[in-house]
Amino acid sequence: MKRFVATIASAIAAISMANAATIVDIDSKPSDNGVTLSLAAGIYEVSFISSMFDAWNAWGKTSGCDNNGENCSQGWLTNVDVLIDNTIYKYGRNGKFETPELALDNASPFTLTLTELTDVTFYIDDINYNDNKGGVSLQVASVATPVPAAGLLFLGGVAAYNASRRRRLAQ
């Protein structure tokens, strides 16, 4: 029974660690600004957050914004690219804004679904990095337990139930 309890505790600890959030800070200035995470199979929600960065500006200035500080011709962005298995996915393209705070307020989270352990690289892609300001901070959090771990918990629960039932019947 002690071995069973230790196995269940290990499974719960693994799932708890899988659900922990990771913060990724990406500076827009260096041309090699990628941050790579090795992520286990599962579903991950990626949110733009205020941490080291709020947003980035590809021009180093803001111009052409409307009265709401939106629809700028040059301004603050939350654009981020994600490289998974040699395929680039583009996220956060919600417009250009007068301030980093407005860009962050208008950023939308996105979801990544991985079927196996995968290296995922988050980066900012720009032609001229010299005039860039800021960067983006992302929170990467697992929102779904991979099926094998969920199955292990289910089987563990059934085994615990059966063990307690056998004990009661033996008394």
Side-chain angles (χ1 to χ4, degrees):
M1 186 66 175
K2 286 182 182 177
R3 181 179 295 158
F4 170 75
V5 171
T7 302
I8 295 301
S10 299
I12 291 170
I15 289 169
S16 296
M17 288 175 65
N19 288 333
T22 300
I23 304 298
V24 176
D25 295 311
I26 307 166
D27 191 333
S28 69
K29 289 184 183 177
S31 59
D32 183 20
N33 60 20
V35 176
T36 301
L37 300 178
S38 289
L39 298 174
I43 299 172
Y44 296 85
E45 181 174 86
V46 182
S47 303
F48 293 88
I49 62 167
S50 179
S51 181
M52 182 181 287
F53 301 107
D54 289 334
W56 67 284
N57 189 311
W59 305 272
K61 62 183 176 181
T62 303
S63 64
C65 304
D66 65 18
N67 291 336
N68 295 323
E70 301 174 348
N71 304 308
C72 304
S73 56
Q74 297 176 328
W76 292 90
L77 312 160
T78 55
N79 299 8
V80 67
D81 291 351
V82 181
L83 177 65
I84 303 172
D85 294 332
N86 296 319
T87 302
I88 298 170
Y89 301 92
K90 299 184 175 292
Y91 295 103
R93 282 144 169 81
N94 298 323
K96 300 173 193 119
F97 298 88
E98 191 168 25
T99 66
E101 296 80 16
L102 273 173
L104 182 62
D105 288 345
N106 285 279
S108 299
F110 57 94
T111 303
L112 302 175
T113 302
L114 306 174
T115 58
E116 62 187 10
L117 179 66
T118 305
D119 284 342
V120 178
T121 302
F122 301 89
Y123 67 99
I124 290 172
D125 187 26
D126 191 28
I127 296 168
N128 179 11
Y129 291 94
N130 295 329
D131 57 354
N132 289 1
K133 290 183 181 180
V136 292
S137 292
L138 305 169
Q139 177 176 289
V140 181
S142 175
V143 294
T145 304
V147 173
L152 179 62
L153 276 180
F154 175 76
L155 292 175
V158 169
Y161 173 77
N162 287 337
S164 68
R165 194 166 151 83
R166 264 184 273 149
R167 229 178 295 119
R168 274 193 230 126
L169 291 175
Q171 292 176 350

